[in-house]
Amino acid sequence: MAPVDPHSYTDGAHPVTSHLALAFYLDFSASAIHASALVTLSAPHSGDILLDTRALAVHSATTTTDAPSPIPFSLAADADPVLGTALTLTLPPNTSSFLLTFSTSPAASALQWLSPPQTASALPFVFSQCQSIHARSVFPCHDTPAARITYSLLLNVPAQLSAVAAARHVSRRDPASADHRGACDDALWCAPDRVVEEFEMAQCVPPYLFAFAAGGIRCRDLGPRTRVYAEGGDTLLDEAAREFAGVEDMVKVGEALFGPYEWERFDLLVLPPSFPYGGMENPRMVFLTPTVIKGDSAGAQVVAHELAHSWTGNLITNKTNEDFWLNEGFTTYAERRIVEVVQGEERAALNMGIGWRGLNRMMERFKDNMEFTKLKPKMAGIDPDDVYSEVPYEKGFQFLWRIERQIGRPAFDEFLKKYIATFKFQSIDTETFLEFLKANVPGIENQIDLQLWIEGTGIPPDAMEPDSATYKKICALAAEFKSGKFPSEEEVADWSGQEWELYLENLPTDVEASQVTALDERYRLSESRDYEVKVAFLQLAIPTGCRCYFNEVEKCLKQVGRMKYLRPLYSSLARCSGEEKILAQRIFSEAHDFYHPIARSVAESILLKHG
């Protein structure tokens, strides 16, 4: 066997999936999908071939010849806690395609099923989140970014619901018995209260970018190629449309910086608050948490990040999760270039300052295992969700910014466009990038210690803290907090959530409870609508023993499932002794069903670690 990815059973000596024709019957009563997948391989194959699965029930495998015949298959007896279960198929000679039927589990790690009482529309809802290695819990696949696929998708849903996907919408129509290829009985598929939403993704994408959602979804146009979707009523749609009104202009800025936008549309779906990330860069249909809607257009920075992925991450993809910085470091750099044009240099510098603080915080988090402070860490046996951090984002950004400073922005812009044009619709590793860099920037290895940046732990000495008047002023004000001096009303008059976030992130951690409550009495930070501000404040307050904030902590952990907030709040509570630890355990037991499976697993591991 020739492994291509430490997080996949894919054998590099065998062909991989090139196209999938998927038919999904969404069974909300069972929280399961009954499905078929017509799998086309990149080349004919004979004998054993391995696919990744997790908690899937595989019902049948057959040839696609004129006289279909069963294909022998087996699932490994034991599931690997990280990889899931290998599905082995023994293919007849020169097999180019085959048909699988299967069902997902209610515990599928990529899927969250919400009952009507859990949604704003009082209708059932389901959505997928396949990054990093969760597509295998939705359909059998070569679940590695090294194996890019095209696909078609039929979603059979209750007629009162609508569906979206990270693919071109073809039609909404009545079901036909020929659609499902054995996914379920004809009577189920063609029931009078069901409809089929049909989608097509003609551009090759890594499996983790497969995405769909179904529920009481409505939409509002923002521009000629941008639309916002949301679950719920007009109020949320109106707020989202105002927050993201400038998205079309952002797309144009991205094109000017990085080349043509290759995905036709850039639509946004605001998901229920249990969505575990700030955003997910699914092509054509970005998924967003409602917490990015802050009423001051600040959420546009999250959108800028997901938009930047349209070039770096979606168009060019990391070959494995060990190369994750190629996705996120490049995208963080690209995001800040977009923000610089749209919102100004000072706003981009604040963004960089928050990132610099976050990178330094990660050094503390991983002080006992500095492997995960490398740009290219060794990840065999490690669940990517367990070590997800700001390192690939912020250290990756710092590396690219270092190259820009060395060769100058005009030369780096030319390099970046050439890089994107050269590798678009490909998945590459760090070594391929470095060879391209050295070939196109001769002598760069003599000017920058590339090996130290890629393989070294910690923050390299030639990384740089951002330099801006606003950033320095906020850091100076934070430094005065220890002596009891708060920023004046005049000094914070123009602050948005981002300035407050930077201020709070730079406060000393060994503050007194009286200082924390005095700060809150003046500025009501614990009640902020901006969760970045609220969580940063609560994270500061918890270790001081300020029990007066327990209610806000509990509300936050029960109302929002974004892991960016769950991690620090559960960690802060669990690291304390006594009442705080008990509170964390009680909240988790009561909020357990609200969280997406990925977030649930992360919160559970935090509590186990500090138990």
Side-chain angles (χ1 to χ4, degrees), residues 474-504:
I474 293 172
C475 290
L477 288 170
E480 294 174 345
F481 183 82
K482 186 76 172 174
S483 61
K485 183 179 178 184
F486 297 161
S488 68
E489 296 282 354
E490 183 180 349
E491 287 170 321
V492 304
D494 296 327
W495 283 14
S496 67
Q498 200 164 33
E499 283 86 352
W500 275 114
E501 183 186 357
L502 183 62
Y503 175 78
L504 291 167

Side-chain angles (χ1 to χ4, degrees), residues 53-86:
T53 76
R54 180 182 290 127
L56 289 177
V58 180
H59 307 308
S60 68
T62 55
T63 63
T64 55
T65 55
D66 291 339
S69 59
I71 294 174
F73 70 91
S74 62
L75 286 164
D78 297 316
D80 183 276
V82 175
L83 300 181
T85 306

Side-chain angles (χ1 to χ4, degrees), residues 324-325 328-329 332 336 351-363 365-366 372-373 375 387-398 501 505 564 567-568:
F324 190 47
W325 81 271
E328 296 301 350
T332 302
R336 287 169 183 161
N351 186 312
M352 290 164 61
I354 292 170
W356 176 256
R357 178 67 186 134
L359 179 59
N360 280 272
R361 193 169 57 246
M362 291 304 100
M363 299 305 111
R365 174 184 167 188
F366 292 119
F372 301 114
T373 68
L375 275 187
V387 293
Y388 178 84
S389 80
E390 293 171 67
V391 171
Y393 294 75
E394 297 300 339
K395 188 173 180 179
F397 163 79
Q398 284 284 339
E501 183 186 357
E505 292 281 3
K564 184 177 183 180
R567 273 194 181 93

Side-chain angles (χ1 to χ4, degrees), residues 86-109:
L87 170 63
T88 302
L89 298 129
T90 305
L91 302 180
N94 296 312
T95 298
S96 296
S97 63
F98 51 89
L99 180 68
L100 302 173
T101 63
F102 55 94
S103 296
T104 64
S105 162
S109 59

